Amino acid sequence: MTNHLDFLLEQNRLWSQSVKDRDHDFFRHLAMQQNPKYFWIGCADSRVSANEILGLQPGEVFVHRNVANVVVHSDLNCLSVLQYAVDVLRVQHILVVGHYGCGGVTAALYNTRLGLIDNWLRHVQDVRDKHRVRLMAMGCPDRQLDRLCELNVLEQVLNLSETTIMRDAWARGQDVTLHGLIYGLHDGILHDLNMPVSTDNELLSRYEAAVDRLFASSK
């Protein structure tokens, strides 16, 4: 019987050697510190890998992933990673990154039952219901799905900005900005959803303007 771990371990050895061939001291420097500027909150989808998409090396982006890139105020896992990124690593940019064709968002849009995860996707259904009238007015299911993927990113940026972690960071004058991005599986391109947040001032107006731009682009 083939041991699949043997394949993975060999792939790892080849990768490690290729890195050392390019930079003999890479791992020595990497082991000494972790000092990323970016914190990526993305989907657990296997096709959406933060470092590879951004073209960054190990150590340059801190990552948290879950199904449908959701930020929930009761999720201590996400909040713990967020606090470490902000308070300890002092990241400068936090990227909430969704992707078109997200399976979790698709299930939320169409009320597809998947099991235990349905409870988690209830958060995305809340986003759907919040914008139901404008989504239904779009007609085309594919366009509705694309728009909900985008809206879900904006909603999570809003949720993120309302955490005590971010509020406390901004109150003490820390320079950290939130961004909402969407990734295209079909072309590998990231798109900025134009909702940068670096203070809690005018938060809702920025959110509403970003949402309005999305639906205006659908006409």
Side-chain angles (χ1 to χ4, degrees):
M1 176 180 285
T2 301
N3 186 337
H4 293 288
L5 277 183
D6 287 344
F7 168 75
L8 295 178
L9 293 173
E10 178 60 21
Q11 288 294 104
N12 167 254
R13 284 189 286 268
L14 292 172
W15 169 77
S16 173
Q17 188 58 53
S18 69
V19 172
K20 287 183 283 190
D21 289 343
R22 294 194 302 270
D23 182 353
H24 180 73
D25 292 325
F26 178 84
F27 290 110
R28 182 174 65 83
H29 292 151
L30 186 66
M32 292 173 61
Q33 65 176 349
Q34 178 177 210
N35 188 33
K37 294 181 180 179
Y38 308 101
F39 175 33
W40 168 294
I41 300 176
C43 184
D45 192 297
S46 61
R47 299 167 293 179
V48 187
S49 175
N51 285 75
E52 190 166 3
I53 289 171
L54 294 174
L56 297 179
Q57 295 297 315
E60 294 186 309
V61 56
F62 197 57
V63 177
H64 174 77
R65 298 168 70 182
N66 61 53
V67 174
N69 44 272
V70 171
V71 177
V72 185
H73 297 153
S74 59
D75 182 0
L76 295 183
N77 184 354
C78 181
L79 294 182
S80 297
V81 181
L82 173 63
Q83 183 171 28
Y84 190 81
V86 173
D87 294 352
V88 179
L89 297 178
R90 310 285 290 190
V91 297
Q92 298 174 21
H93 300 276
I94 300 177
L95 318 173
V96 178
V97 185
H99 65 96
Y100 294 117
C102 178
V105 176
T106 303
L109 179 62
Y110 296 118
N111 291 312
T112 304
R113 295 297 302 273
L114 298 175
L116 179 63
I117 197 174
D118 298 343
N119 299 281
W120 179 256
L121 295 177
R122 179 66 251 181
H123 300 295
V124 184
Q125 289 179 323
D126 290 342
V127 180
R128 176 202 64 189
D129 294 345
K130 183 176 181 177
H131 302 282
R132 179 183 294 276
V133 173
R134 296 171 85 174
L135 283 170
M136 294 303 104
M138 296 178 65
C140 175
D142 289 341
R143 293 174 65 200
Q144 289 176 3
L145 176 58
D146 285 349
R147 196 62 68 244
L148 184 55
C149 288
E150 296 164 340
L151 289 168
N152 184 51
V153 169
L154 296 180
E155 196 74 23
Q156 307 319 317
V157 173
L158 182 64
N159 289 345
L160 186 58
S161 66
E162 293 176 336
T163 63
T164 57
I165 298 164
M166 295 311 307
R167 294 295 177 94
D168 289 346
W170 288 327
R172 61 177 177 259
Q174 188 168 337
D175 181 16
V176 54
T177 303
L178 313 181
H179 307 269
L181 305 174
I182 191 86
Y183 175 70
L185 292 171
H186 64 287
D187 61 8
I189 300 298
L190 281 171
H191 301 274
D192 186 358
L193 294 178
N194 297 309
M195 188 185 163
V197 181
S198 54
T199 173
D200 53 7
N201 295 331
E202 301 181 345
L203 172 61
L204 289 178
S205 62
R206 285 179 179 269
Y207 167 78
E208 290 168 358
V211 170
D212 287 342
R213 280 193 296 270
L214 287 181
F215 284 104
S217 67
S218 301
K219 296 179 180 178

